Amino acid sequence: DSGTIPLVEHAASEYVLGWAPNGKSILFASDRLGSWGMWLAPVEGGKPQGAARLVKRDTGQIRPLGFAGAGSFYYGVGGWASDVYSVRVDLAKGKLVEEAAPVVQRYMGLNSRPAWSPDEEQLAYVSFRKGQTASPTLCIRNEKTLEEREIEFKPALWPATIQWFPDSRSLLVFSGYAQGALGFFRVDAASGEATLILVSKGAAKILWPVLSADGRT
């Protein structure tokens, strides 16, 4: 035993998933590209050999279940998973017209809190694509062009609900923020700037806001 040798030296958050069956590499999880993925580091004689390579990106934070005999790796997805789906409904007959389909097909299992803008041109949702311990990302998808923008909350927020103001340019976000406090914020959809509207505190906390049609109440 010659002591402890670093396998990977990187500023990212990382954790071991397991030894490959042939004993020549170690599989580990890393968020070094901005989202969690699986990486493989070659090892020989108990020492790292060369740079690690990406095996699978955008996995989210996973838990290892182990390798099969042929080298296949099995894993579980976090403790939760959610996605944003759309489905057409015949309201008159009370029936589904088609099967539900995912609206967002990136970072599967990490998307939630969908909200349509009043002008029906934008879909906002929250994504935990940077890991469950990082501040979530507000994503706004243009339904005409299918282009998507990522907006960082400023300051960092942990949204419980989001909904659009009637102007389709800002959102009401109910979120935790500093030192466990809860509050209502108006978030600019272009810049991500958040303005505190109301603090929810005390024994009678205010929860689950709903905007009036004119956005003033």
Side-chain angles (χ1 to χ4, degrees):
D1 184 0
S2 59
T4 301
I5 300 174
L7 173 66
V8 178
E9 296 186 80
H10 199 282
S13 296
E14 297 172 326
Y15 58 94
V16 173
L17 297 174
W19 277 96
N22 62 10
K24 296 183 178 180
S25 56
I26 291 179
L27 190 68
F28 66 97
S30 174
D31 64 355
R32 60 177 62 188
L33 295 182
S35 63
W36 287 99
M38 289 192 290
W39 294 72
L40 198 65
V43 178
E44 185 176 337
K47 297 180 180 179
Q49 301 293 317
R53 64 180 178 86
L54 179 66
V55 175
K56 183 176 178 61
R57 64 170 64 237
D58 301 336
T59 60
Q61 285 186 282
I62 60 176
R63 62 180 185 277
L65 299 179
F67 285 90
S72 298
F73 178 70
Y74 290 82
Y75 62 92
V77 179
W80 58 270
S82 63
D83 278 303
V84 179
Y85 287 79
S86 67
V87 61
R88 293 180 60 198
V89 180
D90 186 327
L91 296 178
K93 297 180 180 180
K95 295 182 179 180
L96 300 181
V97 177
E98 61 188 11
E99 293 296 321
V103 177
V104 182
Q105 299 191 30
R106 300 175 63 218
Y107 303 99
M108 298 295 285
L110 301 173
N111 308 310
S112 60
R113 325 291 204 261
W116 285 109
S117 62
D119 61 12
E120 300 181 0
E121 294 184 359
Q122 302 176 92
L123 174 67
Y125 68 94
V126 173
S127 177
F128 288 84
R129 58 189 59 181
K130 294 182 179 180
Q132 297 179 27
T133 59
S135 178
T137 302
L138 173 65
C139 302
I140 299 179
R141 169 188 167 108
N142 186 303
E143 289 307 299
K144 289 185 176 179
T145 64
L146 300 184
E147 294 180 349
E148 184 174 290
R149 295 181 290 119
E150 294 185 4
I151 297 176
E152 298 291 339
F153 288 118
K154 305 171 187 177
L157 303 179
W158 293 88
T161 63
I162 62 173
Q163 54 189 293
W164 288 90
F165 278 89
D167 61 8
S168 294
R169 295 188 299 177
S170 56
L171 300 106
L172 176 66
V173 176
F174 172 51
S175 173
Y177 63 112
Q179 299 178 344
L182 297 172
F184 304 114
F185 294 82
R186 185 165 188 155
V187 176
D188 185 285
S191 67
E193 293 292 340
T195 303
L196 180 63
I197 297 174
L198 178 67
V199 176
S200 176
K201 61 182 179 180
K205 283 189 168 73
I206 306 168
L207 304 173
W208 316 124
V210 177
L211 278 170
S212 60
D214 61 8
R216 295 184 178 185
T217 306

